[in-house]
Amino acid sequence: MRFLFAAKILACVPAAFAAFGVTTSGNNMIVDSGAGLVTTINTANGDITSMLFNGKQLQDSSKFTQLSSGLEIVESGCLNAAAGSATVTSSVANNIAVIKIITSTITHYYIVRSGINTLYIGTFASAEPSVGELRFIARLNKATLPNGDPNAEVNGGTAIEGSDVFLVNGITRSKFYSSIPFIRDQVHGVTGSGVGAYIIVPSVSYETSSGGPFFRDIDNQGSAQQELYWYMNSNHEQTEAYRTGFFGPYALAITSGAAPSANLDTSFMDSLGLQGYVPASGRGTVTGTYSGTLPELAVTIGFKVKIVRSCIVVHNVDLLCTRTLLRSIGSLDLGAYYLYRRILLAEVIPSYRGGFTRTLMKPGTYTATLYQGELEAGTGTVTVRAGATSSLMLTSTLSRPSTIWSIGTVDGTPAGFLNADKIETMHPSDSRMSNWGPITFTIGSSSVGSFPMAQFKNVNNPTTIKWTASSSQIGARTLRIRTTEAFAGGRPQITVNSWTSSAPAAPPKIDSRGVTRGTWRGLNQVYDFGVPSGTLVAGSNTIQINTISGSSGDVFLSPNFVYDSVELF
């Protein structure tokens, strides 16, 4: 009886954690947080080969956690490379362990603080990896962490497009359908019983990434492993040049299941001497006002210099899916994009006019761009100095003609159009999609939601607009079509009654699939078609919008474009 009682008492005593620190055994460098997380790093290549959290193995045993596809592959550019190497060293001071992994072009850091079950991470790249993308990927034990994004669960599926879009139990899934625009992607993760693994992207962590605030990239894929990503550079509908320099800081946080706060304190990293890292003391602030945008739309302010670009975002769009309205000028740091452009982010209520503050900007002279939604609307210039606050006033110069009628909102997105609410998480061929058409849209009676968000040459071509005009509405007019991205040279050409416009030039080429991968964010284009006097008639008019291209393709990979808006004025 005494033994049984003692056993019950012992069962109630919390397990004692091992001491914080770093030890080495053969090719294994073992980092103990002192709070339940023990991480093993292969000293030959920098791969994480084990992550034990309170005795649970989080790491997959066949594929490891690493930068890109492994630093030896980043180094050599060959998936089966015997060449390539990484040097792994460690240091411990002030209850902070720094693991440094070096190749000829990459310096990658894992940092652990005593008593915190988080891997703080930073990556310095002096050259773009020859594999063509830069990403951190945690390949985790799916038995321990089975719950990821259901739209990205592809295990057991059949590939229907390339090797990355699958049909699973009758619905389409892809790792691309886990993507979230950078502006909202601060925390994403996977969970299991009593455990969660989350990527945190705080502060200026996007500052060297490419693509801008509306760019989106893969966060998760469920296959034989549970894959958790943070993409820094990729060609996935990429609209900007790749950048080099310091990426991060970012983190892999291990919890008992609940998502961690996005407000991760990384200030301790200012004194660590990380290669390429710029501390807060070396940055400045911009504060200012904007005006002339549509009151219901988000506002983004981007800053460009020859080497750097930053951005401020002003909107009431849900941040981190909280769906709360932000009611004061903020200085929440979501990111910056450098090299040719740089983007830093902050949040306030949108309106026709308003104010903004952006902290932690690198010094430089910037050309600032005011965005209405995701559409460029105005510019200005400001100089940022370390430790100082600069001011800026921006006004929209976006053309806002007095329209006879319009379809959609001029905001650089297809929001509100047919299937726009589904395209981010499923393939256009998915059975859950509404029928693409071809669509006939009648001005004055059809709902905006019946107008297609995208037009595919071999699927729903043409789109027809019916309109009854009064005698005061005819004469020489302009039909303006705005688009947000194009594939295979797809662009619009119009026929109004018996008159057909000339074919516009092909849009700039982006060498990537877009809308079938769940994104509309390409390069905004505007097509103005001058309709000659005598073409429109008082009474019934028919306008056909055709997708044209010199290229070809099958079904949803035929030339296509995504609508922003259509206006007649």
Side-chain angles (χ1 to χ4, degrees):
M1 289 293 293
R2 290 180 178 177
F3 174 80
L4 179 60
F5 178 75
K8 288 182 178 180
I9 292 293
L10 288 172
C12 297
V13 176
F17 296 121
F20 164 78
V22 179
T23 58
T24 301
S25 175
N27 284 338
N28 295 322
M29 183 175 288
I30 302 162
V31 187
D32 197 318
S33 70
L37 178 64
V38 181
T39 304
T40 302
I41 299 169
N42 185 330
T43 57
N45 55 26
D47 287 358
I48 294 177
T49 58
S50 174
M51 279 187 280
L52 282 171
F53 177 64
N54 295 336
K56 295 180 179 181
Q57 181 56 260
L58 309 186
Q59 175 62 51
D60 183 71
S61 61
S62 61
K63 294 184 177 181
F64 302 123
T65 292
Q66 54 199 195
L67 194 70
S68 292
S69 294
L71 281 171
E72 74 278 13
I73 296 173
V74 171
E75 178 79 4
S76 66
C78 179
L79 291 175
N80 296 307
S85 62
T87 300
V88 182
T89 60
S90 68
S91 62
V92 179
N94 302 316
N95 290 320
I96 299 171
V98 179
I99 312 305
K100 187 176 183 180
I101 307 166
I102 303 174
T103 74
S104 63
T105 60
I106 297 287
T107 302
H108 187 61
Y109 299 94
Y110 294 117
I111 302 165
V112 176
R113 302 173 72 185
S114 177
I116 300 176
N117 293 321
T118 295
L119 295 179
Y120 299 83
I121 310 172
T123 304
F124 176 83
S126 62
E128 181 67 20
S130 56
V131 293
E133 61 183 25
L134 185 62
R135 67 182 183 181
F136 172 76
I137 176 171
R139 295 186 175 91
L140 303 174
N141 182 352
K142 202 170 185 183
T144 307
L145 294 156
N147 307 314
D149 187 330
N151 300 305
E153 178 53 65
V154 302
N155 204 29
T158 301
I160 62 167
E161 184 180 298
S163 59
D164 49 33
V165 181
F166 297 84
L167 191 66
V168 182
N169 298 324
I171 62 174
T172 55
R173 292 178 177 174
S174 173
K175 57 189 178 183
F176 290 99
Y177 303 152
S178 70
S179 67
I180 300 171
F182 280 175
I183 192 172
R184 292 192 288 112
D185 192 5
Q186 286 191 282
V187 178
H188 58 267
V190 296
T191 63
S193 178
V195 64
Y198 294 88
I199 296 289
I200 308 176
V201 191
S203 192
V204 293
S205 300
Y206 285 110
E207 65 185 1
T208 316
S209 296
S210 297
F214 315 116
F215 185 75
R216 56 198 304 147
D217 220 324
I218 301 162
D219 281 348
N220 172 230
Q221 178 174 253
S223 57
Q225 296 78 36
Q226 190 69 274
E227 299 171 353
L228 188 60
Y229 296 82
W230 185 52
Y231 264 86
M232 291 160 261
N233 281 336
S234 82
N235 68 344
H236 302 151
E237 193 72 357
Q238 185 57 255
T239 59
E240 300 182 311
Y242 289 154
R243 299 176 177 83
T244 55
F246 185 86
F247 295 84
Y250 53 108
L252 176 60
I254 308 303
T255 75
S256 59
S261 169
N263 297 319
L264 185 71
D265 178 18
T266 60
S267 59
F268 71 95
M269 298 174 72
D270 284 10
S271 60
L272 295 182
L274 309 180
Q275 186 175 5
Y277 179 90
V278 177
S281 61
R283 298 172 181 262
T285 297
V286 171
T287 185
T289 61
Y290 66 92
S291 62
T293 58
L294 294 177
E296 68 273 17
L297 294 178
V299 170
T300 303
I301 301 166
F303 300 82
K304 295 188 292 185
V305 293
K306 184 176 181 181
I307 300 178
V308 258
R309 176 186 183 182
S310 61
C311 203
I312 295 171
V313 174
V314 192
H315 68 154
N316 67 342
V317 178
D318 59 308
L319 177 64
L320 304 180
C321 301
T322 60
R323 300 197 181 278
T324 56
L325 190 63
L326 303 175
R327 298 192 176 277
S328 61
I329 292 177
S331 58
L332 176 61
D333 303 321
L334 299 182
Y337 302 82
Y338 300 91
L339 192 56
Y340 297 106
R341 299 180 182 178
R342 171 175 159 195
I343 299 198
L344 305 173
L345 314 170
E347 303 270 336
V348 300
I349 284 184
S351 63
Y352 180 75
R353 62 181 67 249
F356 61 87
T357 297
R358 172 59 226 183
T359 61
L360 297 178
M361 292 179 63
K362 286 185 177 181
T365 297
Y366 296 81
T367 298
T369 301
L370 174 67
Y371 292 86
Q372 176 175 282
E374 297 183 16
L375 185 64
E376 301 86 345
T379 61
T381 302
V382 66
T383 298
V384 177
R385 297 177 177 85
T389 298
S390 303
S391 61
L392 174 67
M393 292 189 297
L394 292 170
T395 300
S396 172
T397 57
L398 192 67
S399 172
R400 296 173 65 177
S402 178
T403 59
I404 296 172
W405 52 257
S406 61
I407 307 170
T409 302
V410 179
D411 65 355
T413 82
F417 287 153
L418 181 71
N419 290 323
D421 60 333
K422 304 180 183 73
I423 200 65
E424 295 172 291
T425 57
M426 63 187 78
H427 191 267
S429 67
D430 197 287
S431 60
R432 295 169 291 174
M433 287 280 182
S434 298
N435 190 304
W436 285 97
I439 298 296
T440 296
F441 185 94
T442 302
I443 299 295
S445 61
S446 295
S447 68
V448 171
S450 67
F451 194 88
M453 60 86 62
Q455 191 166 311
F456 305 86
K457 187 176 182 182
N458 290 356
V459 176
N460 60 339
N461 200 35
T463 295
T464 301
I465 300 173
K466 296 285 189 178
W467 170 51
T468 300
S470 67
S471 58
S472 65
Q473 294 174 323
I474 62 175
R477 296 293 178 185
T478 298
L479 186 76
R480 174 172 290 169
I481 301 174
R482 293 183 182 271
T483 65
T484 73
E485 78 171 5
F487 176 73
R491 70 269 196 193
Q493 183 181 33
I494 68 168
T495 296
V496 181
N497 296 329
S498 60
W499 173 83
T500 298
S501 72
S502 59
K509 182 180 180 181
I510 298 177
D511 190 19
S512 172
R513 288 169 288 152
V515 71
T516 61
R517 282 178 163 180
T519 182
W520 61 68
R521 184 65 281 135
L523 295 170
N524 292 317
Q525 300 292 303
V526 58
Y527 299 91
D528 279 352
F529 299 96
V531 180
S533 180
T535 302
L536 294 168
V537 300
S540 179
N541 294 272
T542 299
I543 301 170
Q544 283 192 340
I545 304 174
N546 287 277
T547 301
I548 64 168
S549 174
S551 300
S552 61
D554 295 329
V555 198
F556 291 102
L557 289 179
S558 62
N560 62 73
F561 61 86
V562 174
Y563 284 102
D564 170 4
S565 57
V566 182
E567 301 171 292
L568 183 73
F569 56 93

